[in-house]
Amino acid sequence: MKKYFPLLLVVIFMQSFAVQSQPSGKKERVKAIKTAFITSELGLTPSEAEKFWPIYNAFEEKQFELRHEKMRSYLNRMKNDVDQLNEKEAGLLLTQMESIEDELYQIRKKLIQDLRNVLPVHKIIKLRKAEEDFNRDLLRQMRENRPLPKRN
């Protein structure tokens, strides 16, 4: 049964994206599927999961804030008028980009430090692989359901 559980999760994952629903519902479904996937991939015990998920969820919230709120502001500026920037403005924008990338690195580093008190080191390493596997599968599933628009 342990061999088939990850396969079952992938099937559930794939089916969840096959069904069309409201965007807000998709976010919760993806989060629930990701939770099940990571729990399975790491082999979290109930005790480990109880300690792990509050730490990981706080990390995810901080990461989301950085990527979707702060980065969006300068990405929009780069997309719209990057050729119009003078050297000083471009330098400020580059500094802002570097700062956000550093913040992302620092919150990942803090996650690892916090998890050292909760999980064995090999499970922390497996977490990174599980995140990458989940994201790769998510992107693949999204591409299969919605073709990317052609670029001109």
Side-chain angles (χ1 to χ4, degrees), residues 1-118:
M1 185 66 177
K2 288 182 182 180
K3 292 179 182 178
Y4 297 108
F5 188 68
L7 180 60
L8 178 64
L9 287 174
V10 172
V11 170
I12 292 170
F13 168 73
M14 292 171 72
Q15 287 178 341
S16 72
F17 283 98
V19 177
Q20 295 295 324
S21 70
Q22 297 176 348
S24 62
K26 282 186 180 184
K27 185 176 180 182
E28 284 93 34
R29 277 200 328 243
V30 169
K31 186 173 182 174
I33 293 166
K34 183 176 184 180
T35 299
F37 184 82
I38 289 175
T39 299
S40 171
E41 290 295 303
L42 298 185
L44 295 177
T45 66
S47 173
E48 289 172 335
E50 182 180 334
K51 295 172 188 171
F52 169 81
W53 286 110
I55 294 168
Y56 188 77
N57 288 337
F59 161 76
E60 288 271 288
E61 287 175 26
K62 288 177 187 175
Q63 183 173 259
F64 178 84
E65 176 189 327
L66 284 171
R67 286 194 171 146
H68 291 92
E69 292 176 17
K70 292 180 182 179
M71 290 180 82
R72 184 172 298 170
S73 66
Y74 73 75
L75 287 176
N76 284 339
R77 185 166 180 189
M78 283 179 22
K79 186 169 74 174
N80 295 332
D81 65 354
V82 72
D83 291 329
Q84 305 298 320
L85 296 177
N86 63 37
E87 200 62 24
K88 183 179 178 182
E89 291 170 328
L92 289 172
L93 186 57
L94 184 58
T95 300
Q96 182 183 11
M97 291 167 61
E98 291 172 329
S99 174
I100 291 172
E101 289 299 321
D102 186 53
E103 285 182 66
L104 286 167
Y105 171 74
Q106 293 301 324
I107 63 169
R108 171 68 67 177
K109 191 173 175 180
K110 183 180 182 330
L111 170 70
I112 292 169
Q113 290 170 348
D114 292 346
L115 289 179
R116 283 180 178 263
N117 301 320
V118 174

